[in-house]
Amino acid sequence: MTSEIGPGECPVPREDPRVAHSRTLRFWLDPANVAMRLGQAGPVARTKAGPAVAFQVNDPSLLRKVAGGEDAFQFWSADPSLRDFAEKGFPGAEGQAHRDRRALMKPALAAPRLTALGRSVRDSAAGLLAAVPADRPVDIPFEMSRFVAGLVIETVLNSDASPATLAELARARPVLSAGVFWKYALAPWPWVPKPRRRAFRRAFATLNDAAREVYARHRPDVDGNDVVSLLKHSSDDRPDAALHDVRALLFAGVESTASTLAWACYELGRHPDHQEAIRAEADAVLGTDTPADTIRPDLMPRTVGFVREVTRLHGIPFLVRRARHATHVGDQPVPAGALVTLPLGALRRDPARYARPEEFDPLRWSPDARPPLSSAALRPYGLGPRYCPGAAAADILVPVALASLVRSRTLRTAPTGRTIRVSLDLAPVPKGLTMVAAPREPHPPAPGGPHREQTAPVRRP
């Protein structure tokens, strides 16, 4: 890959297992490199990779303008190249049609309705984690994909799926994710071969089958105001539209959350002290006698801080838009059809905002840290009118799922000697990460029993 702002080396952490980035795409995928180079390049940098010309936005004010400017910039899933993937679901809709569909789902996915979601995640996690082998090393991206698929289906979509379906979804996730990435990135050059096209079609069929199974097994809430019920009722004359929305929610929920939990496992293996602190917090909050409305992220500050730090260092490295017509980003002219990337990973490593930006330090998110940090700067759910509709649910599901995992298992990195690579997916995962998820010893305390003291947060200068 060539860049008009110069070459850069891909730094590799000293800790094992090492993480490496793609040589050809490391400018996009290596946030530390992007942060350094964009800091030298000004508010907008023009880059070139083979036939692709892209414009990297480094100015936060311009980033908001691009992310929110639907008239000038097209969101990836609404691109014609992905019409067969988005079809009639809300991701492929634009303008008022997209806003109307999101408004329909909003009451079901808003925080006031999610008071019992924490307990549901805890209860579902227990059964789903039992399927993770404890007697041998496991592929963490696969296991987290299977685990998350079950959680999303059971707790957000009010349904269930067979173990075979969950495993098939876990295998299909990386193929779908990488396939969508390449279909979009290479859309202006249709003659360029897309990798693994047959595998993508098979994975897409798997996703369709899973969505139909979830749709058929859906259990509506008594009031009929859960998200799938609302979608069904609004599409009585177009059941395929509701099914496509269910498919979109399933794919998006598994894609982003599995990535976060896979990277969380990676960091847990590197930092056993944080694993112990999260476990102590989980013992205090997730007991089986705990009232439903007290299983909340605000009662698990160490776990939430850990998730935020995982997101800061390993979250989606960039958002992508495509210019609908010739326009300007700041003073930079952008031709029609050009990719405009918003390098969130680089901004999360801004030394002006984060002390020791390359260091993994969940305590920087402690409520007592000074100066306090705002989680809004992480932008884990995107920007503008395409902000993730399930953000409130994810804010509960992810920390409770992580706490449930640590409460029942002890995660240790398997000494394979292999370098962990960042996958080229919509939400990158640590490709090749193998770990042992051993049963916890000693077992969690009985409900109502004594709890371990939580580690006091560190005050940061």
Side-chain angles (χ1 to χ4, degrees):
M1 179 172 188
T2 60
S3 169
E4 294 183 14
I5 56 177
E9 292 303 317
C10 174
V12 177
R14 295 180 181 178
E15 300 88 345
D16 288 326
R18 297 178 302 160
V19 174
H21 296 81
S22 164
R23 287 185 178 276
T24 57
L25 290 167
R26 64 186 174 190
F27 182 79
W28 281 8
L29 288 182
D30 177 10
N33 182 47
V34 177
M36 178 180 67
R37 297 298 169 183
L38 290 186
Q40 301 169 0
V44 182
R46 185 179 186 273
T47 67
K48 186 173 176 60
V53 175
F55 296 84
Q56 314 273 0
V57 179
N58 191 38
D59 185 323
S61 63
L62 293 178
L63 186 146
R64 285 182 172 275
K65 178 181 177 181
V66 172
E70 277 193 302
D71 292 339
F73 300 99
Q74 188 172 48
F75 185 70
W76 67 269
S77 67
D79 192 278
S81 68
L82 299 175
R83 186 173 291 115
D84 59 340
F85 184 80
E87 291 186 293
K88 300 179 178 65
F90 73 91
E94 297 190 81
Q96 191 60 47
H98 177 76
R99 290 189 287 272
D100 288 346
R101 206 65 179 165
R102 289 173 62 94
L104 173 73
M105 295 185 288
K106 186 175 181 179
L109 297 174
R113 187 177 171 80
L114 301 176
T115 55
L117 180 60
R119 184 177 64 180
S120 297
V121 171
R122 179 204 63 186
D123 294 346
S124 293
L128 293 166
L129 288 171
V132 178
D135 58 346
R136 63 182 185 274
V138 297
D139 181 313
I140 286 297
F142 171 81
E143 293 298 342
M144 290 303 100
S145 296
R146 181 167 61 173
F147 176 44
V148 168
L151 288 178
V152 170
I153 290 169
E154 292 181 13
T155 68
V156 177
L157 300 180
N158 286 29
S159 188
D160 60 80
S162 68
T165 295
L166 298 182
E168 288 298 316
L169 272 175
R171 282 187 280 270
R173 187 212 60 79
V175 180
L176 287 168
S177 185
V180 169
F181 179 95
W182 285 113
K183 281 167 71 71
Y184 181 78
L186 298 176
W189 304 276
W191 61 87
V192 178
K194 280 76 170 177
R196 304 188 67 188
R197 297 179 68 170
R198 290 184 180 179
F200 179 83
R201 288 194 291 268
R202 289 193 297 269
F204 188 47
T206 295
L207 178 62
N208 274 326
D209 290 343
R212 282 191 285 268
E213 184 176 341
V214 169
Y215 192 86
R217 296 186 177 189
H218 168 242
R219 300 182 301 272
D221 283 350
V222 175
D223 62 4
N225 286 329
D226 61 279
V227 65
V228 177
S229 290
L230 292 177
L231 291 172
K232 284 183 173 182
H233 294 160
S234 70
S235 306
D236 288 338
D237 57 339
R238 295 182 301 119
D240 57 331
L243 180 60
H244 294 158
D245 283 340
V246 169
R247 183 181 68 196
L249 290 170
L250 177 59
F251 176 70
V254 174
E255 173 72 5
S256 57
T257 308
S259 170
T260 301
L261 287 182
W263 283 114
C265 290
Y266 169 79
E267 295 294 354
L268 288 171
R270 297 172 65 224
H271 301 284
D273 53 332
H274 291 304
Q275 189 165 179
E276 287 301 315
I278 292 173
R279 178 171 292 161
E281 196 169 69
D283 285 345
V285 175
L286 301 186
T288 55
D289 58 346
T290 304
D293 60 356
T294 60
I295 301 180
R296 307 193 311 266
D298 61 292
L299 299 179
M300 299 186 292
R302 285 297 296 269
T303 308
V304 170
F306 193 91
V307 171
R308 287 177 180 170
E309 188 69 348
V310 167
T311 300
R312 189 183 71 82
L313 286 178
H314 304 295
I316 295 175
F318 50 84
L319 300 177
V320 181
R321 299 292 187 268
R322 196 188 302 282
R324 294 180 184 273
H325 49 74
T327 185
H328 281 75
V329 179
D331 295 330
Q332 173 70 55
V334 176
L339 291 178
V340 180
T341 63
L342 313 178
L344 302 185
L347 298 177
R348 296 180 188 127
R349 285 170 167 79
D350 182 359
R353 178 172 288 164
Y354 302 104
R356 307 172 308 282
E358 292 306 307
E359 178 182 331
F360 183 82
D361 180 16
L363 295 177
R364 72 173 81 237
W365 300 100
S366 165
D368 294 335
R370 295 293 179 269
L373 295 176
S374 171
S375 60
L378 296 174
R379 309 196 189 286
Y381 305 116
L383 282 167
R386 294 284 175 162
Y387 186 84
C388 174
D395 278 340
I396 298 171
L397 187 149
V398 176
V400 175
L402 178 61
S404 299
L405 171 62
V406 172
R407 191 167 188 254
S408 66
R409 299 295 184 97
T410 298
L411 291 159
R412 298 191 302 272
T413 302
T416 62
R418 293 184 298 174
T419 296
I420 307 303
R421 298 194 175 275
V422 181
S423 66
L424 190 55
D425 297 346
L426 292 174
V429 298
K431 189 175 181 179
L433 178 60
T434 302
M435 302 184 76
V436 175
R440 174 186 173 180
E441 293 293 344
H443 295 295
H451 301 305
R452 298 170 57 183
E453 291 296 324
Q454 297 185 35
T455 304
V458 173
R459 188 179 296 273
R460 294 291 171 187

